[in-house]
Amino acid sequence: MTTGVRRRLGVEERRQQLIGVALELFSQRSPDEVSIDEIASAAGISRPLVYHYFPGKLSLYEAALKRASEDLAARFVEPQEGPLGARLLRVMRRFFDFVDDHGPGFSALMRGGPAVPADGVRSRDAVSRTNALVDAVRQAAYVQILAHLQVQNPSARLELVIRSWISLVESTALIWLDGRRIPRRELEAQLVRDLAALTAVSAAYDDEMGALLRRMLDDEPADGPFGDLVARLVTLAS
């Protein structure tokens, strides 16, 4: 027989609960549109109690964005087994799962977090902290792609290619969220092919990048994203 008495949460448990509630609300609307009152109501506590755990609205937003950034960075982790194109396609699918499920929160994170907190203008330190979260996601993605390419000391050209591709993935996701006019699966495959295309352009003028491109295409099945791209380009050029 239950007594109906709820267990009192510890400080860290309550903080994590509030972060989770905030993230859930951010998945539905922009963080700027979500009030502390809404977060308190969804968590089943009072507004003053929210401020007991977080000193201000922005601090809760930053904690939620930090968890979101860590989740997003983890989406790029993939076992280094099987064809490279298939691996990257799985990464893109997990990435777009996050984008699809947390659209407003993803937009806020990539665009620098909430614009103006309820308790005043954002400080430069707050902007810097949010930018650092975004940079951490980009760096995690960069490190993972290098690992899949089996490159430890990337050349300047390769670094440019990978970081340009990561920026392309971010901007594509933000554009896609505005109407979702291209089917997700098509867009995910296109972005994987975009990495091969960027590498190919650089490889045409650099022997080291040429060797890397050949390794990328080794053992790629004809029906994989890389094999399909090569076949179509050959057809166009003939």
Side-chain angles (χ1 to χ4, degrees):
M1 179 177 173
T2 60
T3 62
V5 176
R6 291 188 298 175
R7 182 175 67 87
R8 183 174 181 178
L9 298 181
V11 173
E12 188 56 28
E13 285 181 292
R14 180 65 77 185
R15 282 178 54 85
Q16 294 304 316
Q17 181 212 20
L18 288 170
I19 291 171
V21 168
L23 277 174
E24 179 62 28
L25 292 173
F26 296 168
S27 71
Q28 302 163 21
R29 305 201 314 280
S30 168
D32 292 313
E33 299 173 1
V34 177
S35 69
I36 287 294
D37 287 332
E38 289 179 85
I39 295 171
S41 177
I45 62 176
S46 66
R47 175 190 174 95
L49 195 54
V50 174
Y51 285 109
H52 174 73
Y53 295 101
F54 293 93
K57 182 178 179 180
L58 184 60
S59 64
L60 175 54
Y61 282 170
E62 288 180 343
L65 291 178
K66 183 175 187 297
R67 183 188 288 184
S69 70
E70 292 169 348
D71 184 0
L72 189 55
R75 306 292 173 118
F76 286 90
V77 178
E78 172 70 23
Q80 297 174 31
E81 302 170 355
L84 177 61
R87 283 182 255 160
L88 295 178
L89 191 56
R90 288 192 291 272
V91 168
M92 285 295 95
R93 286 178 177 168
R94 287 197 300 273
F95 177 84
F96 271 87
D97 281 343
F98 182 94
V99 173
D100 209 358
D101 293 340
H102 303 89
F106 173 80
S107 295
L109 178 63
M110 291 298 115
R111 289 171 173 147
V116 180
D119 49 1
V121 179
R122 296 180 69 200
S123 68
R124 289 184 179 180
D125 286 345
V127 174
S128 296
R129 287 193 297 271
T130 304
N131 289 341
L133 294 177
V134 176
D135 287 341
V137 174
R138 292 169 179 156
Q139 183 63 20
Y142 175 70
V143 169
Q144 287 297 318
I145 298 303
L146 281 180
H148 284 289
L149 294 176
Q150 299 181 340
V151 175
Q152 294 183 340
N153 299 302
S155 66
R157 288 182 184 273
L158 179 56
E159 180 173 1
L160 179 62
V161 164
I162 297 176
R163 293 196 185 279
S164 296
W165 179 73
I166 292 169
S167 295
L168 177 62
V169 170
E170 291 176 12
S171 58
T172 298
L174 289 171
I175 293 169
W176 178 77
L177 281 171
D178 186 17
R180 292 174 166 82
R181 290 175 291 175
I182 298 177
R184 250 191 67 179
R185 291 293 184 250
E186 290 183 19
L187 201 59
E188 292 160 359
Q190 176 181 314
L191 285 167
V192 173
R193 297 182 188 115
D194 284 338
L195 178 59
L198 287 169
T199 304
V201 170
S202 187
Y205 303 94
D206 183 87
D207 291 341
E208 184 177 349
M209 291 297 293
L212 175 64
L213 180 62
R214 287 189 288 274
R215 290 204 312 273
M216 287 175 63
L217 298 178
D218 281 349
D219 302 322
E220 286 292 319
D223 60 349
F226 290 166
D228 180 67
L229 173 63
V230 171
R232 289 174 182 269
L233 288 176
V234 169
T235 300
L236 287 173
S238 61

